[in-house]
């Protein structure tokens, strides 16, 4: 499947800041530009990991110049970049006592739920902390894209309730959502009498043994197990 | 060579030496006293450098310098640069090189004072300044140029550790910290390395080499057409230096980016000097481990460990031998960690595998469990094998003074253990799945003593964690065994061994 790193709605980065970072990777004078750029990424739904890491690096060198609000935005953006490990990459650069801030603790918990695929707990916790997350538009959609990514790694056919829980959409909205995916992304609905609806996800190398390319070449795949769920 | 000094062409380091002045430790150290053997040493070295005789320079640098240090300067520094300058025409560049070695010797055998640390920084600034301004026409051995970059980063790391231990500083030392507040400044360090990379145009050279427009690897970076290899090689090694500095800072993504122009999948100039080879792979592997690209880390650790196993005997006399052994041990520990999180044992060569078993068999089986003890082993191995992380910001010199030299290490350790914790149930899944080609979720849930909903999250976690995102942004699998959930049509008996591959 080879998912590209930017979740669907995060567009490519304007090249000028990329260039600024490339030419001045260790220059404290670009700090303000990078902070502005974080806000730009938020409002224009774009994303630039390199620019954000560069800013965190400058904060690491001069902690007195750190803006908590900017760091929070970077972290939320990094969550949205899942399955890429960007959130950890950011945490590696943020001093421990800063990570003790209440809102960062919340984000770390949210990241933990996502990393361990506990989507229901994630959405519950996210709902409680809307005030932190709603500053960044596109957050929910990005997480839904990640959830679908993980589902499609794991399932050939997803029961509707499992999908509903993972993306936090139900009822009519879910119908619409699935319809859209059927029309645009190759999903197939499968109805079996008396059983919950199944959604067939597009085949990819991660959920079908016969399509498995050795992306990490030459790795001997010892074993593939098929798992058959049963619903009582 | 215009020196009027009359030196003996014989073997300078076996020459008899008046024992009274030396050997008594620093009690008798007179920085202005230059023993004959040192005179001979500098005069020869100076001549060989002027004549661009790389072979002889290398012999003196690796051989004579070590032997003289061993014999005469075990407990005291070499004579001061001012004292030897007259024997080498007061040559500015030679004096900078001499001081670079002088400080390196102090760091290796004695313990540098705060002032010496700051002075060494100044010396590097002058030395790199000269190189960056392109006025150097020497040809120096790769070993020496590697050592310069390596030592530069080492002294930076050492300074960060030193200044972070504020509690035990004397009034005078604190005063020096204030006075030399620009010494080993993190921006300065990074910008020197970056400037060497840029000014040397090494990235372009490596690019042009791919198209056959340039020779670099074929000549081991030396210039046989009358030019100098110094800037070019310092630029090359600075990419490895930047990888290391970024690892020390916990910035693994950026570190790998700095190394990217070097294709480590191929024999390259970085493998010529063993110290450079090891440092590259150690940091490359560690960064990949932290990015969850376990297969990549395992593959490179396996290769270098095999290499060390084969060739370490040839380095027994090298001053770097202890360092080689230390890094060797650390990389086995890192390999043990990688294989515990991602059991790709088939990627490991037989001899490496038996070494690994000898060293870590017990610990690796403990790491397969998911209890406190497993956790403690991860903690122990990580702490033993990780780089010496640093806090790069300047110290806060206000009361109460605290030590913060452990902060950076504690953070990286904590985040690593957090990752381990997120993966702690995966070994269990792996063990059960190995036994079955098909199995129902309900049954697997019973085996694992969890409910089905929890099992689904564990299975998804397994899938997520066993996929890494590469530098190209694409997902790839690290897993040695895999599974997928088909549907819930029927339950298939446990030993239905239909071959699904």
């Amino acid at each position: 499947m080879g998912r590209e790193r930017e979740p669907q709605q995060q567009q490519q980065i304007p090249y000028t800041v990329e260039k600024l970072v490339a030419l001045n990777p260790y220059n404290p004078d670009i700090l303000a530009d990078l902070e502005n750029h974080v806000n730009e990424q938020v409002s224009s739904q774009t994303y630039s990991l390199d620019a954000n890491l560069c800013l965190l690096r400058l904060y690491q060198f001069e902690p007195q110049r750190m803006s908590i609000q900017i760091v929070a935005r970077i972290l939320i953006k990094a969550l949205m970049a899942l399955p890429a490990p960007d959130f950890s990459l950011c945490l590696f650069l943020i001093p421990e006592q800063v990570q003790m801030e209440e809102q960062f603790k919340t984000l770390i918990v949210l990241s933990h739920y996502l990393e361990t695929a506990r989507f229901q707990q994630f959405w519950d916790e996210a709902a409680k902390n809307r005030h932190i997350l709603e500053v960044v538009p596109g957050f929910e959609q990005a997480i839904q894209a990640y959830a679908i990514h993980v589902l499609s790694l794991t399932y050939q056919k997803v029961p509707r309730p499992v999908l509903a829980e993972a993306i936090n959409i139900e009822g009519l909205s879910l119908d619409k959502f699935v319809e859209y995916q059927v029309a645009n992304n190759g999903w197939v609905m499968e109805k079996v009498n008396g059983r919950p609806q199944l959604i067939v996800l597009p085949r990819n190398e991660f959920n079908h043994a016969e399509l498995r390319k050795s992306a990490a070449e030459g790795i001997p795949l010892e074993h593939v197990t098929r798992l058959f769920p049963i619903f009582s | 060579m215009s020196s009027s000094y009359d030196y003996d062409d014989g073997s300078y380091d076996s020459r008899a030496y008046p024992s009274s002045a030396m050997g008594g430790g620093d009690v008798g150290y007179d920085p202005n006293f230059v023993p004959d053997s040192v005179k001979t040493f500098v005069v020869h070295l100076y001549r060989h450098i002027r004549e661009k005789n790389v072979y002889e320079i290398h012999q003196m640098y690796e051989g004579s310098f070590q032997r003289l240090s061993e014999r005469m300067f075990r407990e005291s520094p070499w004579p001061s640069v001012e004292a030897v300058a007259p024997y080498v025409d007061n040559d500015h560049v030679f004096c900078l090189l001499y001081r670079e070695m002088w400080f390196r010797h102090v760091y290796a055998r004695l313990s540098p004072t705060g002032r010496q640390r700051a002075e060494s920084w100044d010396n590097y600034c002058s030395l790199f300044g000269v190189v960056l301004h392109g006025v150097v026409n020497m040809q120096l051995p790769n070993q020496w140029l590697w050592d310069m970059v390596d030592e530069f980063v080492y002294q930076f790391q050492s300074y960060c550790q030193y200044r972070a231990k504020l509690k035990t500083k004397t009034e005078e030392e604190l005063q020096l910290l204030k006075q030399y507040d620009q010494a080993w400044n993190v921006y300065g360090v990074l910008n020197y390395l970056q400037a060497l990379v840029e000014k040397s145009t090494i990235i372009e050279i490596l690019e042009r080499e791919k198209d056959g427009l340039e020779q670099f690897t074929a000549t081991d970076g030396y210039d046989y057409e009358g030019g100098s290899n110094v800037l070019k090689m310092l630029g090359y090694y600075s990419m490895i230096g930047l990888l290391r500095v970024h690892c020390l800072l916990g910035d693994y993504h950026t570190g790998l980016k700095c190394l990217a122009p070097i294709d480590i999948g191929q024999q390259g100039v970085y493998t010529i000097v063993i110290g450079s080879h090891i440092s590259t792979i150690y940091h490359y592997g560690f960064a990949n481990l932290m990015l969850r690209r376990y297969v990549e880390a395992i593959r490179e650790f396996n290769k270098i460990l095999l290499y060390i196993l084969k060739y370490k005997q040839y380095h027994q006399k090298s001053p770097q031998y202890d360092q080689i052994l230390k890094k060797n041990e650390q990389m086995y520990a890192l390999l043990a960690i990688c294989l515990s999180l991602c059991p790709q044992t088939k990627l490991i060569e037989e001899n490496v595998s038996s070494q690994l078993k000898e060293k870590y068999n017990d610990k690796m089986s403990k790491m397969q469990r998911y209890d406190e003890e497993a956790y403690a082993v991860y903690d122990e191995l990580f702490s033993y094998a990780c780089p010496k992380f640093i806090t790069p910001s300047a110290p806060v010199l206000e009361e109460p003074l605290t030590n913060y030299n452990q902060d950076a290490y504690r953070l990286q350790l904590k985040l690593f253990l957090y990752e381990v914790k997120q993966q702690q149930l995966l070994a269990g899944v792996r063990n059960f799945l190995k036994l079955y080609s098909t199995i129902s979720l309900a049954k697997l849930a019973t085996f694992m003593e969890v409910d089905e909903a929890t099992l689904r999250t564990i299975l998804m976690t397994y899938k997520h964690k066993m996929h890494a995102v590469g530098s190209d942004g694409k997902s790839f699998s690290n897993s040695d065994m895999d599974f997928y959930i088909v549907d819930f049509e029927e339950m298939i008996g446990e030993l239905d061994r239909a071959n699904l591959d």
Side-chain angles (χ1 to χ4, degrees):
Chain A
M1 165 163 176
R3 198 172 177 284
E4 299 299 329
R5 94 168 310 164
E6 72 277 33
Q8 53 195 14
Q9 70 287 50
Q10 301 204 35
Q11 301 300 314
Q12 266 313 306
I13 322 93
Y15 72 99
T16 44
V17 172
E18 288 284 278
K19 206 158 186 185
L20 189 68
V21 172
L23 294 175
N24 304 274
Y26 315 115
N27 181 351
D29 296 342
I30 67 169
L31 189 134
D33 291 317
L34 292 176
E35 288 183 334
N36 289 335
H37 187 54
V38 172
N39 292 327
E40 256 169 58
Q41 292 173 51
V42 168
S43 57
S44 61
Q45 303 204 22
T46 56
Y47 183 57
S48 170
L49 174 66
D50 284 329
N52 294 350
L53 287 179
C54 184
L55 178 55
L56 289 177
R57 176 161 70 228
L58 298 179
Y59 286 157
Q60 188 190 24
F61 297 169
E62 297 174 82
Q64 68 282 7
R65 296 177 75 182
M66 181 185 290
S67 153
I68 295 296
Q69 190 204 31
I70 294 285
V71 175
R73 290 177 177 198
I74 291 176
L75 285 175
I76 295 170
K77 277 294 199 181
L79 273 185
M80 292 163 68
L82 275 163
D86 300 10
F87 191 81
S88 312
L89 294 183
C90 294
L91 286 191
F92 288 138
L93 298 178
I94 300 171
E96 202 173 356
Q97 70 273 22
V98 177
Q99 295 187 21
M100 296 299 175
E101 293 263 341
E102 225 27 69
Q103 56 176 333
F104 295 154
K105 280 202 254 174
T106 303
L107 291 174
I108 290 168
V109 169
L110 289 174
S111 144
H112 181 69
Y113 288 146
L114 290 174
E115 286 284 337
T116 52
R118 282 184 257 174
F119 294 109
Q120 194 179 0
Q121 281 152 297
F122 167 81
W123 292 113
D124 289 349
E125 194 65 28
K128 280 186 233 155
N129 293 285
R130 200 157 284 154
H131 60 287
I132 301 176
L133 303 168
E134 68 190 359
V135 263
V136 182
F139 180 75
E140 283 190 10
Q141 293 90 316
I143 303 300
Q144 283 161 349
Y146 164 68
I148 290 168
H149 162 78
V150 176
L151 288 174
S152 70
L153 291 182
T154 316
Y155 291 85
Q156 289 177 347
K157 299 176 184 179
V158 191
R160 187 182 154 109
V162 172
L163 175 67
E165 182 187 296
I167 62 177
N168 200 34
I169 305 181
E170 286 174 330
L172 279 179
S173 317
L174 183 58
D175 292 341
K176 273 199 192 142
F177 183 86
V178 173
E179 263 167 45
Y180 177 85
Q181 298 289 350
V182 167
N184 294 285
N185 293 323
W187 293 21
V188 177
M189 278 202 273
E190 207 176 273
K191 271 231 167 200
V192 186
N193 286 341
R195 297 245 172 97
Q197 194 182 32
L198 278 177
I199 290 122
V200 186
L201 297 173
R203 287 154 62 96
N204 61 52
E205 60 176 296
F206 305 119
N207 64 13
H208 274 78
E210 61 272 31
L211 294 182
R212 197 175 194 283
K213 281 185 288 222
S214 28
E217 237 167 282
I219 300 184
L221 184 65
E222 280 188 343
H223 196 79
V224 178
T225 307
R226 295 207 297 170
L227 289 173
F228 290 83
I230 36 166
F231 274 67
S232 40
Chain B
M1 179 86 24
S2 58
S3 168
S4 60
Y5 177 68
D6 179 25
Y7 59 85
D8 186 341
D9 238 335
S11 62
Y12 26 76
D13 35 322
S14 61
R15 182 189 278 216
Y17 180 73
S19 60
S20 57
M22 280 295 148
D26 49 358
V27 184
Y29 176 63
D30 172 5
N32 296 316
F33 176 72
V34 185
D36 285 350
S37 50
V38 171
K39 280 179 205 160
T40 316
F41 174 80
V42 294
V43 165
H44 274 79
L45 185 59
Y46 179 53
R47 192 185 72 193
H48 293 317
I49 289 175
R50 294 190 53 156
E51 291 171 356
K52 297 194 179 180
N53 188 336
V54 177
Y55 177 80
E56 287 297 334
I57 300 169
H58 190 249
Q59 294 302 309
M60 296 197 65
Y61 172 76
E62 277 279 273
S64 316
F65 185 75
Q66 295 306 327
R67 281 195 295 273
L68 282 176
S69 298
E70 184 62 30
R71 223 184 60 217
M72 294 161 54
F73 305 108
R74 277 168 171 281
E75 282 153 14
S76 67
W78 277 59
S80 71
V81 69
E82 291 78 12
V84 302
Y87 306 111
V88 294
D89 302 343
N90 292 303
D91 185 277
H92 180 54
V93 176
F94 184 89
C95 288
L96 293 173
L97 291 171
Y98 178 85
R99 284 194 100 200
E100 200 268 338
M101 292 166 77
W102 191 94
F103 283 116
R104 188 131 41 97
H105 170 260
V106 167
Y107 270 81
R109 290 186 178 256
L110 316 165
S111 59
T113 63
R115 191 179 299 276
Q116 283 169 337
R117 288 170 186 272
E119 285 171 354
S120 180
W121 162 252
D122 283 343
N123 192 60
Y124 275 115
C125 293
S126 309
L127 181 59
F128 290 157
V130 167
V131 173
L132 286 167
H133 282 92
V135 291
V136 165
N137 65 355
M138 303 173 293
Q139 186 105 268
L140 293 180
N142 285 335
Q143 176 74 54
W144 193 350
L145 296 168
W146 160 254
D147 287 345
M148 261 180 225
V149 174
D150 191 47
E151 181 72 11
F152 177 67
V153 177
Y154 165 72
Q155 291 190 15
F156 164 59
Q157 171 215 299
S158 170
Y159 193 76
C160 289
Q161 302 285 351
Y162 163 81
R163 75 175 172 193
K165 291 178 206 155
L166 287 174
K167 267 186 177 167
T168 47
K169 292 270 175 295
T170 64
E171 215 23 69
E172 193 196 344
E173 286 171 322
L174 290 172
Q175 202 48 49
L176 279 170
L177 281 182
K178 274 182 213 160
Q179 189 185 334
Y180 296 114
D181 63 342
Q182 285 309 301
W184 299 108
N185 174 292
V186 63
Y187 288 117
V189 169
L190 285 165
N191 280 316
Y192 269 118
L193 294 171
Q194 178 73 9
L196 288 166
V197 173
E198 281 171 13
K199 197 89 184 186
S200 68
T201 67
I202 185 64
I203 296 176
E204 291 76 14
I205 290 174
L206 292 172
E207 273 304 313
R208 287 165 54 82
E209 189 183 43
K210 279 186 206 152
D211 302 329
L213 300 170
E214 186 110 26
Q215 284 215 326
F216 179 73
T217 311
T219 62
D220 290 352
Y222 290 109
D223 190 320
Y224 294 113
E225 280 153 22
S228 164
N229 70 333
V230 173
L231 177 57
K232 206 162 49 170
M233 284 312 295
L234 285 178
Y236 183 87
Y237 287 135
S238 290
M239 294 190 284
I240 302 169
L242 282 168
L243 166 67
R244 178 169 167 202
V245 174
H246 284 297
C247 282
L248 295 175
L249 295 167
D251 192 350
Y252 311 109
H253 173 84
T254 309
L256 289 177
K257 238 179 137 173
C258 293
L259 188 73
I262 301 179
D263 180 0
I264 63 154
Q266 307 213 7
Q267 278 292 99
V269 173
Y270 77 97
T271 60
I272 298 169
V273 175
I274 192 165
S276 142
H277 192 180
I278 290 178
S279 178
T280 306
I281 301 302
Y282 167 79
H283 292 100
Y284 178 84
F286 186 81
N288 274 293
L289 163 63
M290 297 303 271
L291 289 169
R292 284 205 341 254
R293 296 179 194 153
Y294 303 121
V295 166
E296 191 56 27
I298 290 169
R299 220 182 249 143
E300 292 303 326
F301 283 143
N302 176 61
K303 267 196 266 172
I304 187 101
L305 290 169
L306 185 61
Y307 179 87
I308 297 174
L309 202 56
K310 275 188 185 161
Y311 294 106
K312 70 175 175 204
Q313 50 175 329
Y314 302 112
H315 295 277
Q316 272 173 13
K317 285 188 183 146
S318 152
Q320 287 90 29
Y321 191 60
D322 286 345
Q323 203 42 39
I324 293 172
L325 294 185
K326 170 102 191 277
K327 278 280 165 286
N328 186 56
E329 292 304 312
Q330 287 180 319
M331 287 191 286
Y332 273 107
L334 293 176
L335 184 60
I337 289 176
C338 290
L339 287 171
S340 301
L341 293 171
C342 177
Q344 287 286 3
T345 43
K346 285 190 179 163
L347 293 176
I348 306 298
E349 194 276 340
E350 220 175 292
N351 293 300
V352 174
S353 178
S354 64
Q355 289 281 315
L356 184 68
K357 282 210 178 94
E358 205 175 289
K359 294 174 201 291
Y360 288 118
N361 208 18
D362 288 354
K363 290 193 168 146
M364 283 178 76
S365 48
K366 275 183 196 156
M367 284 191 282
Q368 285 306 303
R369 307 204 306 246
Y370 40 93
D371 52 15
E372 281 308 309
E373 206 180 341
Y375 222 51
V377 178
Y378 277 108
D379 182 329
E380 178 196 328
L381 293 194
F382 183 89
S383 302
Y384 166 67
C386 68
K388 272 199 177 323
F389 299 110
I390 50 172
T391 301
S393 52
V396 181
L397 295 175
E398 284 158 18
E399 296 291 344
L401 294 173
T402 52
N403 286 355
Y404 61 95
N405 55 315
Q406 296 278 314
D407 289 7
Y409 150 71
R410 273 199 297 262
L411 174 63
Q412 303 301 314
L413 173 66
K414 178 175 144 180
L415 294 171
F416 169 74
L417 290 178
Y418 207 61
E419 181 65 48
V420 170
K421 201 152 215 172
Q422 288 177 350
Q423 299 196 29
Q424 69 183 359
L425 294 172
L426 305 188
V429 177
R430 196 174 276 122
N431 291 338
F432 283 118
L433 288 184
K434 267 190 189 155
L435 302 175
Y436 298 93
S437 55
T438 53
I439 185 174
S440 75
L441 282 184
K443 190 162 190 168
L444 186 55
T446 315
F447 287 158
M448 294 198 56
E449 298 170 9
V450 293
D451 61 37
E452 209 174 299
T454 308
L455 177 63
R456 283 175 191 276
T457 66
I458 296 172
L459 293 172
M460 283 192 281
T461 306
Y462 180 91
K463 280 286 196 167
H464 167 58
K465 293 296 188 187
M466 285 301 115
H467 284 77
V469 178
S471 49
D472 56 359
K474 303 226 179 199
S475 273
F476 59 89
S477 172
N478 274 317
S479 184
D480 62 324
M481 63 122 260
D482 214 340
F483 65 86
Y484 45 92
I485 303 174
V486 182
D487 56 25
F488 52 88
E489 288 284 274
E490 55 194 305
M491 177 175 169
I492 300 294
E494 52 180 311
L495 280 171
D496 176 7
R497 285 217 164 262
N499 193 350
L500 295 169
D501 276 313

